Structures are given as structure tokens and as C-alpha cells.
Amino acid sequence: MWDYTEQVMEHFLHPKNVGRIENPDGIGEVGSLACGDALTFTFKLGPDGRIADAKFQTFGCASAIASSSVLTEMVKGLTLEEAEKITNRDIVERLGGLPEQKMHCSVMGHEALMAAIANYRSKGKVPASAPKTGRIVCTCFGVTDDEIRRVIRDNNLMTVEQVTNYCKAGGGCGGCKGQIEKLIEEVQGEKVRKLRSHPEPQPRKLTNIQKIALIQEVLQQQVRPAMRAHGGDIELIDVVGNRVLVAFRGMCASCKLADYTLKEIVEAKLHEYVSPDLTVEEETDTAERPAAGGEN
Amino acid sequence: MERVIYLDNNATTKVDDAVIEEMTPYFGQWYGNPSSMHSFGGRVAKSIQEARGRIAELLGCQADEIIFTSGGTESNNTAIHGTLAAYPRKRKIITTRVEHPAVLSPCRQLEQQGYEIYELSVDRQGRLNADELAEVLDDNTALVSIMYANNETGVIFPIEEIGALCRARGVPFHTDAVQAVGKVPIRLKDSTIDMLSLSGHKIHAPKGIGVLFVRRGVRLVPFILGGHQESGRRGGTENVPGIVGLGKAAQLAQQYLNDENTRVRALRDALEAKILATCPDSMVNGDRRNRLPNTLNVSFEYVEGESILMLLNQFGICASSGSACTSGSLEPSHVMRAMGVPFTAAHGSVRFSLSRFTTQEEVDFVGEKIGPIIHRLRELSPFVKSA
């Protein structure tokens, strides 16, 4: 059972400002039913330009509801410039803390506030559920690089696990963990490089048979689990010089993201663990043969 | 916490007072080591044999087919690793997508080591298709491990049919029956099951004791190595109080089997009817016609499981959920996903599991509280337009 603070329980059991303001000045919608939590945040400005009223509706766990409720309390009476300065950290503090695995609830609150302010400033041109900026990194939960950079910066995060706790990225199949690690390095720079205990893999000269064995091992351990989580699979067909020929199976065979997976995940892993000279290609001739996928 | 209404019996159960009473002397009074060469220890060995006999009675098998373990997880690990070690040339295991982690985790690790793991799928009602097994069973298969009944939905699998298929191909068949024992009649003598896992704490015995049934003649390499206990099949000094307790619990389980299938079933059905009647947009997960008599898994659309549990908890009502939040993971339960329950419903799934200690009054109380709780959470939800 989660160890929730009294403040979290109070806001969960007696949430403040539940509902949706009629004709709001700003509205923000984040999350989805499929993702397990979602929040609609609306506010109305008073004649003095300060937030006069704010309301929320939340689908989610106790900490999601508490984060939303406390946020509506926090923003009341603030100017938009002041409200903009609120981070997810502030929400966590007002709640007296959240379990690490629940930090994403506070981030969701913050995102909804930002979306609502953007919606107001654009006079409604930015829709309530504005498309996210940046490039999708985590395809399971639809988290972009911009979002990941922001949680790393706002919360001084150092590990992939922390990033997952704060924005869910990496919490599904785990295929994007390498990219998250790169983003942490990009934002944190030297601070995190010093923390890393494992040294960079040393480039080494491999015989052909060693190379094939290593490629097989990397596919087996680093790539297949992620693909199988999505109902697919990958098979090594051949290695010709530095060309690695693979075939997608199951769901992956018909997946629109397969090209992306090939380059961003499979090739990246092989570059990291085997050799940067490798290129990965999909062997399409064998992909049609159904027997190869199901039987072995 | 004052009042507790415990409807989470698939997670663990209350130890029966009669079990505690039977166990108690084996802590301070009869603490001898059953392997010792003195009658103080020998007396304890006799108690273990008695307990073994009682469990054999419940399972309808021979006493020497019972191996005591530390629980369901060890039993499952033993069956898997012990069988693979006995058939080193065979490299394939067949299991299901909805197994308990105590089977799935060892399988996933074996996959990393080069074993082929085939996971059978289930349909929208959580039912297993035995035909799929027939297709994938081959001479490379070392073991088939399929649960007797699912812990989340209570759906009972066609175990004898599966066992017959395995037997025809000469493949050992293990079943994790942790949820089924004491709730469905099991008679291993006339069964096609080769190995069966049982957990004490699911049948009103304490935690830390379990059984692996291994049919005479089935090859199994010991998994936990040590002394010659359990006829050399499981090392380690016996958990004597646990074993004695489990023996009593097995006797009681047999006695109450009929109660589980009549009174408890009726209570479960009443709770189910009440929930469906008072909570719109709710639905039962799992095959309603072929389920454990004590298990009810319901999905409430538009609300999230953890929130439901926490509000139930306010009334002392204990249940569990397949939602992502309750597990600390970010995706809903693997069972719900394997069944193809939409994520929207999986996040709002709640499991109520009853026991012989559940009363009509308790079920009435829960039935009364659940409607307002769901209504209250839906008022908070952005997905309910009418709120």
C-alpha cells in the first residue's frame, strides 16, 4: 500500500474545486483513459487579471486527484505570470511529498496548467489538448523529448528510473531507455557522467563468428523483450559484412513504426554494444512466410 | 483500523484458529529436528507424516508424492527448473500469457538463456484454447506449465484436457493450482496432472509453506540442494509448524469444499448482482460460467482502480485491482491485457475474493457502499459527461 501523506489523503477524500467552469478563459486537457490518468483543468480570470476560479476533473489514482485538487487551490489569486512559475515540484511540496513512482501525477497537473495558460493566451487557438511539442521518444505513453527534458531539469533527475517515475517514459516496453539516458546526459552534462559507474563499452576487434554471436546476444537480450511486449518479434537472418539482415515477426511485421524501430532501437543498440559500423536492414523476402514466425 | 471486511482472499487468507492451535506446540514444545536420531525428533517426524497424509487425502494422491516447499513460488520454480534439468536436451516450455509471475518470471529468465517459451493466449473471457496447445506441442517441449485457475479472474482452465494432450505427447504437465485447491474438487489419482503447486496461505494455513505434488515416476531433479529431507527431493530442515498447520488446513479445506461451492458461491453471486445493478457501465471480467466460486472481477468504466480501493478502504473493505497504479507499474495487469480488456476498463478493474469466513452481512455492506463510491469518483472524472 502506498504511504500517502495526510495532505494527499485530505485532498483525495475531500477534493476542492471539482468540476468544469462554464465558458472558461483557459482550458487544458492532458492524459487519456488508456494511459490510466487524465485531467481537465479550467480557469477564469477576475477583472484584476488574477485567476479568480479554477476547477478540475480527474480520472486517476489518489495522488492524481490530490495533485489536481491542490493545484486549483495554489493558482487561485495568482496572475498568469505567477502561475506559470509553478512547477510540479511545488505541487509535490504542497502535498507534503508523493511516493517516487507517483511523481508523474504532479507532472500531469503542471502540464494541464501550462496547457490551459497556452489556450488562454492564444485566445483558444491552441486547443485544450494541444499537440505536444517535440519528438515522441516513448511510444508506449506518447512522451516527447521536450517533456522528458523538462522533468529532468525541473526535478534534477539523474536516472532513467526517475524519468519513468516522473513522466512514465520508459515504463512500458522499455525500448526508449537508451534515448532517455542520452537526454539525461544532454541536460545534466558532467554531473551525471561522473555518476555513471559502467565505463563506455570498449571498441574491440571482432572475428566474424564473434560478431554474429554478439549481435545475436544483443538482439536476444536488449531488443526482443521490448518487441515481445508489443506482441512482435525479431529474427536475425544473416550478417553480410557490416550489413545485419533481420526480419520482423508477429505484430511488428505489419507495424507502421517498424522502420523507426529498426533504426532507432535495433541499430542504436547494435552500434552501442557491437560496432558503430553496422547497418540494419529488413529482410522482406522471408517476412511473408508465416511458418517461420510461429513455429520456432 | 476497526472493522475489516476482507474480500482479498486470492491474495492471502486468514489462518484458521484450529490451524494455529494445531501448530502452536511445535514452536516451544515439540521443537525437535525430524531428522534427529532421538525420539524427541522422531515424534516430530511422525507429525510431518500425518500432515502429509492429510494433504494427500485432499489432493487424492499418495503421501509420498507430496514435497513440502516454502510456498507456491518455490513449488513453481522447482517444477520448472527441476524438469528442465531432467530433460537437458529439450529446449521449449509452453505456458500461458496469464500465469502468475511465479511461473512467468522464471520462464522469462530461461528465455534469456536460450530456451524457447511459448505463451498460449486467452480470449476476451479469459478462456484458454486447448487446440492451440495441440498445435505447438512438439518433441522439443520439456514442460507444459498451465495454471489451474487464474488468480485475477478466477477462470478455470480445461486442465484434464490439457493434461491428456501432454500425456499423449509424453510431455510432463505442471499446474499451478494455488488458487484452485480447496475451491474445486481435485483427485490427482485419476488425473493427467504430473505436478501440482499448492500454497498454504491461500487455504487458511500460514505463509511460508507450500507443496509440490510430483506423480510417482515423473522425473524431477532437486532444485533446492541440501540435506536428505523430503526423500532427497528438497533440502533444508522442514518448516515443522508450517507443515503441521498445512495438514490441518488441508483437512479443513476438504471439509469446507462444499461450503465454498454453495454458500460462498451464492454470496459471490449476490455481490455480483448487486454491483451490476447499482453501478452502470460496469462489467464482469472472465468467463462467468466457469469460474472459481469465490472470485469476482469487475471493471468500472471511467474510474481508476486505486481510487476505488482507497475509498473502499475507508470502510475497512479490502479488495485488489488490476489497475496500473496499484502495482506501481504503469501498465494495467498482464492478465487484463492478455484478455484484451480495453485499457479504459482494465484501469478500473477490482477483484473481490471471498472465503468461508465471509458473511452475508459483509457482502451486503460492500454491496451498499460500492455504488456511492463509484458514483462519487465518476463525478470527479472528466470522461463522464452527465456528471
Side-chain angles (χ1 to χ4, degrees):
Chain A
M1 176 140 196
W2 300 113
D3 193 10
Y4 285 132
T5 63
E6 263 173 50
Q7 293 95 309
V8 171
M9 286 310 290
E10 173 59 28
H11 277 281
F12 168 61
L13 293 174
H14 310 286
K16 312 280 187 299
N17 311 308
V18 174
R20 200 182 173 107
I21 296 174
E22 291 291 316
N23 307 315
D25 287 322
I27 173 164
E29 289 173 356
V30 293
S32 74
L33 265 175
C35 284
D37 41 24
L39 163 57
T40 302
F41 176 87
T42 49
F43 72 83
K44 200 147 190 90
L45 292 174
D48 55 355
R50 291 177 181 275
I51 295 174
D53 197 10
K55 282 198 192 312
F56 81 93
Q57 284 179 316
T58 292
F59 160 80
C61 56
S63 51
I65 290 169
S67 295
S68 315
S69 168
V70 81
L71 176 69
T72 55
E73 291 279 278
M74 286 164 73
V75 295
K76 277 193 199 173
L78 299 185
T79 65
L80 290 184
E81 291 68 34
E82 288 165 343
E84 242 173 347
K85 294 208 180 83
I86 293 175
T87 69
N88 74 292
R89 214 55 263 159
D90 300 320
I91 297 172
V92 173
E93 260 164 46
R94 272 289 286 271
L95 289 171
L98 278 177
E100 271 295 305
Q101 295 97 319
K102 296 285 187 180
M103 287 300 180
H104 60 85
C105 296
S106 67
V107 173
M108 185 174 76
H110 177 245
E111 280 172 358
L113 172 64
M114 291 301 144
I117 293 175
N119 171 263
Y120 167 75
R121 290 228 168 105
S122 68
K123 302 198 163 54
K125 280 198 198 96
V126 174
S129 51
K132 297 171 170 190
T133 63
R135 174 179 62 86
I136 298 269
V137 171
C138 172
T139 50
C140 294
F141 289 103
V143 190
T144 67
D145 55 349
D146 285 358
E147 290 173 274
I148 295 173
R149 283 196 196 92
R150 197 184 58 232
V151 293
I152 294 172
R153 217 173 357 233
D154 285 355
N155 299 283
N156 193 27
L157 305 183
M158 296 290 182
T159 67
V160 176
E161 194 192 345
Q162 286 176 320
V163 171
T164 303
N165 286 336
Y166 278 77
C167 67
K168 298 193 178 183
C173 73
C176 60
K177 284 184 174 174
Q179 294 181 66
I180 298 174
E181 202 148 310
K182 291 215 171 71
L183 288 169
I184 297 173
E185 276 185 32
E186 178 197 312
V187 176
Q188 300 286 27
E190 275 310 306
K191 263 197 287 182
V192 70
R193 249 166 254 140
K194 276 185 203 141
L195 276 175
R196 294 270 152 81
S197 50
H198 55 86
E200 293 280 308
Q202 292 296 316
R204 52 187 154 146
K205 190 85 183 127
L206 298 166
T207 67
N208 236 2
I209 195 94
Q210 284 173 330
K211 184 160 70 184
I212 293 169
L214 196 57
I215 290 169
Q216 189 73 282
E217 188 187 318
V218 170
L219 289 180
Q220 181 76 14
Q221 296 188 357
Q222 313 266 348
V223 181
R224 288 186 81 195
M227 302 190 81
R228 299 192 66 152
H230 284 206
D233 208 343
I234 189 169
E235 191 183 328
L236 179 63
I237 302 294
D238 204 355
V239 180
V240 185
N242 280 326
R243 286 170 62 220
V244 180
L245 302 178
V246 299
F248 288 114
R249 303 296 184 212
M251 300 282 276
C252 295
S254 56
C255 178
K256 291 189 183 67
L257 281 170
D259 271 349
Y260 165 85
T261 310
L262 200 65
K263 290 291 165 197
E264 294 290 326
I265 299 178
V266 183
E267 201 167 277
K269 286 282 179 203
L270 292 178
H271 283 181
E272 188 179 350
Y273 291 95
V274 187
S275 157
D277 304 327
L278 298 175
T279 57
V280 181
E281 294 167 32
E282 185 179 0
E283 175 73 51
T284 43
D285 293 352
T286 59
E288 296 306 314
R289 267 191 276 139
E295 277 292 308
N296 58 12
Chain B
M1 197 179 297
E2 304 106 42
R3 182 179 184 185
V4 172
I5 294 169
Y6 190 76
L7 298 187
D8 202 9
N9 286 280
N10 286 10
T12 194
T13 59
K14 167 191 160 76
V15 181
D16 196 297
D17 288 342
V19 169
I20 298 174
E21 195 182 322
E22 193 113 346
M23 289 170 68
T24 307
Y26 291 87
F27 288 100
Q29 197 178 349
W30 304 111
Y31 53 84
N33 189 326
S35 300
S36 298
M37 281 301 126
H38 40 68
S39 52
F40 185 64
R43 190 207 140 93
V44 175
K46 221 172 265 167
S47 310
I48 290 181
Q49 283 319 104
E50 268 174 42
R52 207 185 293 279
R54 282 171 161 180
I55 294 158
E57 189 121 324
L58 172 70
L59 298 179
C61 66
Q62 305 290 329
D64 62 9
E65 294 174 318
I66 301 286
I67 302 176
F68 289 112
T69 67
S70 65
T73 297
E74 187 193 314
S75 296
N76 289 336
N77 273 269
T78 303
I80 293 168
H81 289 290
T83 305
L84 294 186
Y87 297 93
R89 285 170 197 282
K90 302 200 173 188
R91 308 292 291 174
K92 177 168 161 184
I93 304 170
I94 299 171
T95 180
T96 75
R97 290 177 65 192
V98 298
E99 288 304 302
H100 190 274
V103 166
L104 280 183
S105 299
C107 284
R108 299 262 156 87
Q109 190 201 41
L110 287 161
E111 188 171 36
Q112 300 283 316
Q113 296 165 9
Y115 279 90
E116 186 191 342
I117 309 296
Y118 190 96
E119 294 174 10
L120 300 171
S121 50
V122 295
D123 68 7
R124 185 66 178 75
Q125 262 68 52
R127 290 174 300 209
L128 195 70
N129 185 356
D131 293 343
E132 193 187 352
L133 172 64
E135 280 168 34
V136 296
L137 258 179
D138 57 18
D139 293 337
N140 192 33
T141 308
L143 176 70
V144 172
S145 178
I146 293 173
M147 62 193 347
Y148 208 118
N150 185 265
N151 49 313
E152 291 189 25
T153 59
V155 172
I156 300 169
F157 288 157
I159 287 303
E160 290 307 329
E161 198 186 330
I162 292 165
L165 285 171
C166 295
R167 193 158 278 191
R169 290 300 297 245
V171 175
F173 172 46
H174 164 253
T175 183
D176 174 358
V178 154
Q179 297 293 346
V181 173
K183 294 168 202 159
V184 293
I186 295 176
R187 212 177 138 73
L188 290 169
K189 196 155 74 77
D190 310 320
S191 160
T192 50
I193 297 166
D194 292 319
M195 286 170 281
L196 174 144
S197 300
L198 173 165
S199 167
H201 76 101
K202 309 282 193 198
I203 58 165
H204 306 287
K207 294 151 189 73
I209 186 70
V211 157
L212 178 65
F213 154 84
V214 182
R215 184 178 297 284
R216 280 182 191 170
V218 168
R219 281 160 68 181
L220 190 78
V221 173
F223 177 59
I224 303 254
L225 302 178
H228 51 77
Q229 293 88 355
E230 300 298 290
S231 311
R233 293 174 300 181
R234 199 270 191 186
T237 298
E238 296 87 342
N239 170 3
V240 177
I243 289 170
V244 170
L246 182 56
K248 183 67 187 173
Q251 190 194 35
L252 292 170
Q254 198 169 18
Q255 216 170 297
Y256 283 99
L257 184 61
N258 189 42
D259 181 65
E260 287 275 353
N261 282 284
T262 51
R263 194 187 62 87
V264 175
R265 182 187 293 273
L267 288 178
R268 190 272 314 268
D269 290 344
L271 181 62
E272 176 177 293
K274 178 82 178 174
I275 288 174
L276 295 180
T278 53
C279 304
D281 295 318
S282 60
M283 57 174 188
V284 173
N285 293 313
D287 182 7
R288 290 167 74 177
R289 280 159 311 173
N290 197 19
R291 246 182 329 172
L292 295 175
N294 77 318
T295 307
L296 169 61
N297 191 310
V298 196
S299 273
F300 301 94
E301 293 267 13
Y302 318 120
V303 287
E304 197 280 324
E306 184 199 297
S307 296
I308 303 170
L309 294 189
M310 301 220 17
L311 289 181
L312 285 170
N313 188 56
Q314 292 291 306
F315 297 106
I317 302 167
C318 309
S320 44
S321 166
S323 90
C325 291
T326 50
S327 61
S329 88
L330 294 166
E331 291 187 322
S333 104
H334 70 288
V335 176
M336 294 293 132
R337 281 185 285 155
M339 288 165 65
V341 174
F343 272 29
T344 56
H347 284 299
S349 71
V350 175
R351 179 190 69 189
F352 300 95
S353 45
L354 288 60
S355 83
R356 63 174 184 250
F357 293 107
T358 307
T359 66
Q360 177 78 51
E361 193 221 341
E362 289 177 325
V363 164
D364 290 345
F365 183 75
V366 176
E368 223 170 84
K369 297 297 174 200
I370 186 84
I373 285 174
I374 299 302
H375 182 72
R376 176 175 164 185
L377 287 171
R378 282 187 179 157
E379 279 185 338
L380 292 179
S381 173
F383 299 110
V384 183
K385 299 300 172 205
S386 57

